Amino acid sequence: MDNIWGIFKSSHGASEPQKLPVHDHFLQPSAFIIDCSGCSETKNDADGYFCFECNFYVHKECAESPLEINHPSHSHPLKLRWSGPPGYSDKCCCFCGETLRLLVYHCSICNFSLDTACARKHEIPSIDYPKAHEHRLHLLAKRVSFPCACGKDVPGAPYLCHQCNFMIHSDCLVLPRVIHLTRHEHRISRSYFIGPGKFSCGVCHLELDWRYGGYRCSICPDYVVHLRCATRDDVWDGIDLDGIPEEEEEIEKPFEVVDDNVIKHFSHEHDLELNESGDVCHETIHCSACALPVYFDPYCICSSPSCDFVLHKTCANLPRKLRHELHKHTLTLRPNTNPDEEHGYNLFNCTVCQQLCSGFKYVCSSCDVQIDVRCTSVKEPIIHESHLQHKLFFTSPEAKYCGACGENASTVLNCVDCGFSLGYDCATLPKNVKHKCDTHFLSVCYGEEASGQYWCEACEREVDPRRRFYTCEDCSTTLHIKCVIGEFTFWRPGKMAISSHEVAIVPNDSASRPYCYMCRTRCEDTSGVIYVSEEYICSSKCLEEYVDFSITFSNTQTVEMALDQLELFRLDHISHSWSIL
């Protein structure tokens, strides 16, 4: 401390320390650029006082504040406290709303507080803001309950108009006038009074009181949104469109029609032929977009005999630009299949369901967001088999426990009637799947009352019938969801390049499951197994260790794969009709 004190005196002169009533120790005159303990103002070159014993710093004018003042905003004298606001207060300045520091002017009769900077202002703040109100608004420096346009009682003093009896929170005052949300196709405009009617908010889907304000669509009069819901950071892109002319957005088509049942899709170099025969394709034939087996759905197949590219008909129609409630910005469809492109075929971790995927994805050019096309196929409101009694909505990005699986989910759909939540990983489960334990298709059952015991045909462990499981309606076979849906369910089978290694994703459906080269345990995931350098790898974690390559999914695409010829599952097809079961 002596060395520090010597350096300080030599650089700032020999000013003598002073004892002031605002602090228990001696204070040395200084000009440090640090936060003042008295006010919320930041001053880079202000004179002040510093205590080397407890790192207390205060601006000179705050340190020399009188012990008692009479302020025009309040009818009682305000006394200076130097130990912070009292415990019963809300610890916020009644003028600026900022959190109070150690020096506070306070009236204990009215629970009224000002920081030292606001206490030096001898005029009550007022503002002209035509975007909010036609008359001049004056700050009421007092905590009161009042009918603000937002309908909420939040910290801070209101601004009021004496002519109109209009009152509004200071942060509601500057709300944007015209905005566009990805949840709605039209622009919506701010109104401080909605008017008579029965409304529910388009974001939280709770009741919106017509006596207060909100955002409203001029084209869809029943579409209204709470003021604070519409301007949430996860909902609004932060752009006020007031005064900006609305331009018609050019929509790029996902494909061009070449001929009857022949299209040219933007994601592929060859023409695709439509097949709507309803024949059941082999389970190794996967859609390049959603990575799920084609099965009996209509699909588009590549016209080139040497190319096994295929898309579900529904996936071929996916829009190239998408506005979705899952994200506040417009999303762009990225094929994720062409190794010649900058963002070629690669694995990615879906921002929404947290599944590792290799199909098409929707990405945001402004944010680190990558969403699998299965998740964007879920549009609110939905009626889901796990909760048939009410509709489900995406109301907030908060993680919750999923009512279907009982596990914590990072992104959920919510029921506003009873509080039920459904994770997107459960909402996007394939409804019909094939498994080696049964010759028929399995379907999802979301729980049932049962007196007997259920057993999983794959792992031979007990199945809880009250929870979701896969079952065969013909044979009554039951399997755990995790025994059917594994890590490789959303990886397209075939050969690919990871780092310097050629890797193949193959089915794990042999009679004897192979041993993992890395962890030396049997590969239990029936959805697939990694085959590399004549060795089997059971998971992406073991693969990461094998290739000594860090797989990081949250920030950038660190695992880039070059799509090799898919010779592993080359199926004999004549006239582009694949072999069927």
Side-chain angles (χ1 to χ4, degrees), residues 421-476:
S421 296
L422 178 69
Y424 268 81
D425 53 341
C426 288
T428 56
L429 277 177
K431 294 182 179 180
N432 297 288
V433 296
K434 292 284 290 183
H435 195 273
K436 69 174 186 177
C437 291
D438 201 293
T439 58
H440 306 109
F441 278 96
L442 305 175
S443 58
V444 186
C445 178
Y446 285 94
E448 60 183 35
E449 296 294 332
S451 55
Q453 288 181 306
Y454 286 32
W455 300 91
C456 176
E457 293 291 334
C459 68
E460 299 182 353
R461 296 185 179 93
E462 189 173 359
V463 174
D464 185 354
R466 297 169 299 177
R467 293 291 183 186
R468 56 182 189 145
F469 58 91
Y470 274 107
T471 183
C472 174
E473 295 179 357
D474 298 301
C475 313
S476 298

Side-chain angles (χ1 to χ4, degrees), residues 534-549:
E534 300 184 355
E535 303 292 349
Y536 291 100
I537 305 294
C538 71
S539 65
S540 60
K541 180 180 179 181
C542 286
L543 177 63
E544 177 185 353
E545 297 175 357
Y546 182 84
V547 301
D548 193 25
F549 194 81

